[in-house]
Amino acid sequence: MNHPAQISSYIKEQQKMALGGHQPLQALLSFCASMEHLCSVARPFLNYINLSAIITATAQLWTTAQAKSSLQPSANMAGFDLKQFYSKVLLQLEPMLPDVGARAVSNILWSSAKLGLNPDTFVPGMTNALAAKMLQLTKDKAGRQPNARDCANFLWALASLGHQPADKGLVDAVSECCVRLIKHHDVSKRPNAQEAANLIWALASLGHQRADKGLIDAVCEHFVRLVKHHDISKRPNAQGAANVIWALGELNHEPPDGAASAILERLSVLCGLPRQAPNAQELSNTLLACAVLRLKVKDHVSLALVDGLLRLDRAHCSDQTYCNAAWSLAVLDKLCVDLFSLILGRLRPLSTEPAHNALPAHDALPRQELFQLYQALDFLQPLPTAAAQQLQEMVTRLGPRPLPDKRSAGDLLTSKHLCVALEQLGLAFTANVPLSGYWADAVLRPQDGSAVPVVLVPEYFCGRFSNQEKRLTGRAVFRRTLLAKQRKLVLIPEQKLSCSVVDLADYIQQQVEDVTGDSLKHYIML
């Protein structure tokens, strides 16, 4: 073989034979061996399209082996060194980078992410070189611009590899290129559901906050059109729908009107289809994003999502999925005692058996998961004594209530400033009190037993939507809800905390009198 077209046909033929085999792992090994031989004997005739095809086919066969083989593929299988093979292909490809097209760039990086191999590890600087080439192609006027698939796969690959591009304008340029295609007059050039989901998932995974929030809305609106597509095959699958909702939550981006409800309806329908139902991680991520975004989730949708999670085999669910669900339902005001009991029943309690028992003892849940469960428990209060005791015991068996995160030096300084103002007013208080996973700067204690405690906490300008700065996210609202359960809550705006002690004391006096409907006399230190 001494012609690139002939070589391409050979690669396709070998891949087709491998995909048709009944032993995916053995087929992968055979294909890699034949490609290694090809790279050796046909080296002078290989072009970048051939080399890209070899890497892509290897990744596709690797993915198939992972899904269908009882023995998982590894970097060193039956004497075959995948990393060495991959490195050789990249080294052959490196001098061809000036000629590489958008499809090859996206395929190489997509394949690398699937294989779990970052090109930079083997050829230093290659990932950024490929990224720079893609940026150049987005500006190409000769018809070599990337299509929707190229854009989505490229950004998905960067996010999956955890690679932050050197050029900060790259992500914007590629995502804008994809959005232009959403509006293309030729429908066939527009992103499909998977490509749209991959694009928005990648932006969230890269932590990319765009100044132009309209781009995210454009992708969401296009995705919703696909959700409602008359051709069922064009509609998104569970993974795509869950990824879009998750990404919006990660970006703190309030979705366009009706977009979230349409996507959630799609997920609720898929929950009832055994072969298409979302997995535990997708259900958990969806519920968590709904909570963060303060979405108005219809009862039948939340029921479908939770029921879908609880119907799954325990072996397919992690503790985190259940804890996310409990916390999210509390934030959404959808949690009840019976449902919380069902979720807690899926979690493994700390072992109370003697050490000689054959069963291994279970460690306490991780700190974050315990935070979520105790906050969900606090949300349900007040409860009848019997129910409260039962739930308390179930949660305590999973681990002790954790303290909030250690306060920063800045927070402690702010707290001290507030306490000085309280001292000037002569009030009886306790400073730095942990409440429901948060720190209260101070809690005013009534001295005569005729009033209720007052919780004072700072209200920083955070926990707001990136595209609606006047609206609080679900996390921020839930914080207020839980702290308000401690009786009376006074939020001190950030700008007030920078005032003089005298002005801050005056503000606190006014706010405490407003929330209690009485004077400060009940809280004056005796």
Side-chain angles (χ1 to χ4, degrees), residues 263-468:
I263 298 170
L264 291 173
E265 283 287 351
R266 171 64 176 163
L267 275 169
S268 70
V269 170
L270 292 171
C271 284
L273 304 175
R275 293 180 179 275
Q276 301 179 54
N279 62 30
Q281 192 65 54
E282 290 157 359
L283 289 165
S284 170
N285 285 351
T286 298
L287 285 167
L288 190 60
C290 287
V292 170
L293 295 169
R294 289 174 59 196
L295 299 179
K296 293 179 180 177
V297 182
K298 295 176 182 177
D299 287 343
H300 76 274
V301 171
S302 63
L303 182 61
L305 296 175
V306 177
D307 187 54
L309 180 62
L310 294 177
R311 278 191 282 109
L312 291 172
D313 189 311
R314 176 66 182 83
H316 297 151
C317 304
S318 67
D319 291 336
Q320 184 185 42
T321 59
Y322 293 121
C323 295
N324 279 350
W327 185 85
S328 302
L329 290 167
V331 176
L332 294 167
D333 199 13
K334 303 282 186 182
L335 189 66
C336 63
V337 171
D338 290 341
L339 185 52
F340 193 34
S341 296
L342 281 173
I343 293 172
L344 290 174
R346 289 299 193 98
L347 297 165
R348 295 170 295 189
L350 289 166
S351 176
T352 56
E353 300 294 326
H356 57 74
N357 190 297
L359 294 172
H362 296 302
D363 294 332
L365 288 177
R367 189 165 174 272
Q368 181 58 35
E369 276 87 321
L370 286 171
F371 262 128
Q372 291 178 314
L373 294 181
Y374 277 101
Q375 287 193 338
L377 177 64
D378 292 343
F379 168 80
L380 291 173
Q381 304 300 332
L383 287 170
T385 304
Q389 184 176 352
Q390 181 187 7
L391 288 177
Q392 180 70 44
E393 288 176 356
M394 292 180 76
V395 176
T396 303
R397 288 172 63 201
L398 298 166
R401 182 187 286 269
L403 285 172
D405 292 333
K406 187 177 180 180
R407 307 199 76 179
S408 68
D411 287 343
L412 290 172
L413 192 62
T414 297
S415 179
K416 185 176 180 180
H417 184 56
L418 187 147
C419 291
V420 171
L422 294 176
E423 288 170 352
Q424 179 161 314
L425 291 168
L427 302 180
F429 66 93
T430 305
N432 295 315
V433 181
L435 296 172
S436 293
Y438 306 108
W439 286 110
D441 279 23
V443 176
L444 303 186
R445 303 296 183 188
Q447 298 297 286
D448 55 9
S450 62
V452 295
V454 177
V455 178
L456 293 96
V457 295
E459 180 72 343
Y460 296 115
F461 191 75
C462 61
R464 298 174 187 269
F465 285 101
S466 60
N467 60 328
Q468 294 288 343

Side-chain angles (χ1 to χ4, degrees), residues 51-74:
L51 294 169
S52 169
I54 290 170
I55 293 176
T56 304
T58 303
Q60 289 169 341
L61 291 169
W62 177 279
T63 304
T64 301
Q66 279 185 318
K68 297 183 178 180
S69 179
S70 56
L71 294 173
Q72 291 295 293
S74 63

Side-chain angles (χ1 to χ4, degrees), residues 96-115:
M96 305 176 191
L97 285 182
D99 301 320
V100 170
R103 173 56 52 87
V105 171
S106 68
N107 280 354
I108 292 163
L109 287 173
W110 176 89
S111 304
S112 299
K114 284 289 184 181
L115 293 169

